[in-house]
Amino acid sequence: MNFKLKIWRQKNAKAKGAFVNYTVENISPDTSFLEMLDILNNNLILKGEEPVVFDHDCREGICGMCSLHINGHAHGPDEEITTCQLHMRKFKDGDTITIEPWRSRAFPVIKDLAVDRSAFDKILQAGGFISVNTGGVPDANAIPIPRPKAEESMDAAACIGCGACVATCKNGSAMLFVSARVSSLALLPQGRVEAARRAKAMVAKMDELGFGNCTNTGACEAECPKGISIAHIARMNREFLSAKLKD
């Protein structure tokens, strides 16, 4: 399979970027999208040209590093996958593929397709953890938790923090990411102790870092590689309002 690629090239966050055209030939349909970019970069290096910078790590759909906007979709034209799980058979021979970095004020471009997502780390540091003494592991396991609550908490904990929700949202909102972190802890008795402080601290940090507001378009859920539900946003809003009323 042969493809025409329109790739965003940008030296850094302050430099002016632009799309650059490339071609790749004889690509197997079973090649992953990142492998295709590897092939492109290998060809560029052999020509003495600078390779395209892009993020990747596990290549197993676990880490969320492979943050690419492909043909207008976060992680590409497939459902509930990361970019490393996207294969070239999802495209047609001869297609033109447009590849961009995440577009968000809170995610400044490092270079080309790689962006700085450390804003997510700062939100987690603000309250995405349990710091109270909940006893040893046997004691914690002995705490009865209703199965529906446990399942919902695990569904929220599936969030890999890739940032697709932010890149997809027209407002650049991080509400889906933050709400998933809040829900994964607030649904468990161990997390209830700090629930009020957690909700206030994480929402405050999210606003401070320049993320936009949620207007319930549902785009974040549609593009989330782990299918995180926007129902978690409603729970986070309830947690936040409850904490403010107690104040």
Side-chain angles (χ1 to χ4, degrees):
M1 302 177 74
N2 302 325
F3 300 100
K4 299 176 182 178
L5 308 177
K6 290 180 62 177
I7 300 179
W8 185 261
R9 303 299 305 264
Q10 186 173 343
K11 289 187 177 181
N12 52 57
K14 296 181 179 180
K16 185 177 180 180
F19 283 105
V20 178
N21 296 320
Y22 299 98
T23 60
V24 287
E25 300 176 342
N26 301 319
I27 302 296
S28 168
D30 296 324
T31 301
S32 76
F33 199 87
L34 294 189
E35 288 171 338
M36 181 274 294
L37 290 178
D38 288 337
I39 293 171
L40 169 66
N41 278 343
N42 187 58
N43 292 339
L44 292 176
I45 291 170
L46 290 175
K47 294 178 182 178
E49 299 179 26
E50 188 174 8
V52 177
V53 174
F54 63 95
D55 254 338
H56 64 92
D57 191 5
C58 72
R59 299 205 178 197
E60 294 179 346
I62 298 171
C63 70
M65 291 292 289
C66 50
S67 47
L68 297 181
H69 218 254
I70 304 164
N71 285 351
H73 293 277
H75 293 302
D78 206 345
E79 296 181 356
E80 299 191 2
I81 56 122
T82 52
T83 303
C84 61
Q85 295 172 304
L86 178 67
H87 290 84
M88 301 312 295
R89 55 180 172 268
K90 291 296 295 185
F91 303 92
K92 295 180 180 178
D93 187 25
D95 272 357
T96 296
I97 305 173
T98 303
I99 311 169
E100 305 172 72
W102 283 167
R103 301 291 190 183
S104 172
R105 181 176 62 177
F107 293 159
V109 172
I110 296 174
K111 188 173 183 180
D112 295 340
L113 303 176
V115 300
D116 181 359
R117 291 174 300 162
S118 61
F120 272 8
D121 296 327
K122 294 174 183 177
I123 292 174
L124 291 178
Q125 290 165 5
F129 51 83
I130 295 174
S131 61
V132 296
N133 185 1
T134 60
V137 174
D139 296 332
N141 288 342
I143 299 174
I145 302 173
R147 183 179 177 84
K149 293 288 186 182
E151 292 289 346
E152 195 172 2
S153 175
M154 289 301 295
D155 288 343
C159 171
I160 57 176
C162 67
C165 51
V166 177
T168 300
C169 178
K170 64 179 183 179
N171 306 318
S173 173
M175 290 284 276
L176 190 66
F177 165 75
V178 178
S179 66
R181 298 305 187 190
V182 168
S183 281
S184 66
L185 298 177
L187 286 163
L188 302 177
Q190 296 93 332
R192 290 307 309 166
V193 181
E194 300 172 289
R197 182 200 62 78
R198 178 183 303 113
K200 290 187 295 182
M202 294 183 75
V203 170
K205 181 59 70 172
M206 175 181 66
D207 293 341
E208 176 191 324
L209 292 170
F211 291 99
N213 293 319
C214 173
T215 49
N216 290 311
T217 63
C220 54
E221 179 181 330
E223 296 289 4
C224 176
K226 299 302 177 182
I228 306 296
S229 172
I230 58 174
H232 294 297
I233 296 177
R235 175 175 291 103
M236 185 183 75
N237 286 335
R238 290 195 299 271
E239 294 282 337
F240 180 77
L241 290 173
S242 176
K244 284 296 186 180
L245 287 172
K246 287 179 182 178
D247 288 345

